[in-house]
Amino acid sequence: MSRRAGILEFAVLGLLRESPMHGYELRKRLNTSLGVFRAFSYGTLYPCLKTLVANGWLIEEPGNAPEDALAAPLAGRRAKIVYRLTAEGKEHFEELLSQTGPDAYEDETFAARFAFFGQTSRDVRMRVLEGRRSRLEERLEKMGASLSRTRERLDDYTLELQRHGMESVEREVRWLNELIESERAGRTLKGPAHGDPAHDTTEGAPGVLPRTGDTPGPDTPGDTTT
């Protein structure tokens, strides 16, 4: 499975953990709430849903008539199918949420992981945030070394672009420092923008579902069109 396919499956499972949805609703939420999926097609979403159903992580159910009437003009007959997370799907998603390996720190993966921090325990959030910060600090060090070696050979515009890139990474590191400090202090972040507070298994942990599109930094991906 490609990394992008894995991220999409993770996001679909996370959204369906909140509530069952049909394809039109899922695509809208992925586009508007998760910036990592600003543009992708039904041709990408439905094969993903089919795979999740085949794995036993989702089931298909008949949709409600009012919702179908709204979605039908764009999604056709497919909008009549509502996707619901199974117990096995929930267990699989929670297993994915608990992973804190290097893949969790990558640009695309981190954006999706951060979007579901409201459903993630505090200790896992801390490991992911600290891993991401370390990854960016290493990137800053390499960028600075490269700039020092090539400064004299670059024109003013290329130098300015290099500086802009470094400033953007530095800005994200500062943002991560603030988040890590808040997590350590147990301070509550802003709650979910919609629906009930997200479930968190850690007592006192913030119930928050941040929007990936609001995440600062130059490396937040935008287009996963296939």
Side-chain angles (χ1 to χ4, degrees), residues 69-169:
L70 176 65
L74 289 179
R77 292 184 178 181
R78 289 175 175 173
K80 296 180 180 179
I81 299 175
V82 171
Y83 297 91
R84 181 185 298 274
L85 196 65
T86 65
E88 293 80 4
K90 181 179 180 181
E91 182 179 349
H92 178 64
F93 179 68
E94 290 174 350
E95 180 183 346
L96 294 176
L97 277 181
S98 69
Q99 295 178 1
T100 59
D103 283 348
Y105 319 146
E106 298 298 334
D107 299 336
E108 292 181 353
T109 312
F110 174 77
R113 287 297 302 271
F114 187 82
F116 293 98
F117 263 21
Q119 301 183 41
T120 307
S121 62
R122 177 175 290 151
D123 62 325
V124 172
R125 290 197 301 262
M126 283 291 294
R127 288 197 293 271
V128 173
L129 289 172
E130 290 174 342
R132 175 65 175 175
R133 181 176 63 181
S134 295
R135 179 64 51 86
L136 292 183
E137 287 173 343
E138 292 173 3
R139 186 178 300 174
L140 271 176
E141 184 177 352
K142 292 178 181 179
M143 293 172 72
S146 175
L147 185 60
S148 297
R149 291 193 306 267
T150 61
R151 182 185 302 271
E152 295 180 357
R153 301 195 300 271
L154 300 177
D155 60 45
D156 290 342
Y157 292 100
T158 305
L159 276 173
E160 189 61 29
L161 184 62
Q162 295 274 349
R163 293 192 191 101
H164 173 69
M166 291 187 65
E167 289 171 0
S168 297
V169 178

Side-chain angles (χ1 to χ4, degrees), residues 24-86:
Y24 172 76
E25 290 173 310
L26 272 171
R27 184 171 185 265
K28 182 178 179 181
R29 288 289 307 280
L30 289 165
N31 282 339
T32 60
S33 298
L34 305 180
V36 67
F37 299 109
R38 289 193 184 97
F40 75 105
S41 67
Y42 284 109
T44 301
L45 177 60
Y46 282 104
C48 171
L49 292 170
K50 183 178 179 180
T51 298
L52 295 176
V53 170
N55 288 340
W57 298 331
L58 302 182
I59 57 173
E60 299 176 337
E61 299 176 338
N64 296 325
E67 295 176 347
D68 293 340
L70 176 65
L74 289 179
R77 292 184 178 181
R78 289 175 175 173
K80 296 180 180 179
I81 299 175
V82 171
Y83 297 91
R84 181 185 298 274
L85 196 65
T86 65

Side-chain angles (χ1 to χ4, degrees), residues 35 38 175 210-216:
R38 289 193 184 97
W175 171 72
R211 298 193 175 195
T212 307
D214 297 334
T215 303

Side-chain angles (χ1 to χ4, degrees), residues 165-223:
M166 291 187 65
E167 289 171 0
S168 297
V169 178
E170 289 169 348
R171 187 162 57 248
E172 184 173 351
V173 169
R174 290 194 297 270
W175 171 72
L176 290 167
N177 286 335
E178 293 172 0
L179 288 173
I180 291 169
E181 181 181 351
S182 294
E183 292 287 348
R184 286 175 176 166
R187 290 197 292 268
T188 301
L189 301 181
K190 183 179 179 181
H194 53 79
D196 296 329
H199 172 71
D200 194 311
T201 57
T202 304
E203 182 179 355
V208 54
L209 180 59
R211 298 193 175 195
T212 307
D214 297 334
T215 303
D219 304 311
T220 302
D223 189 350

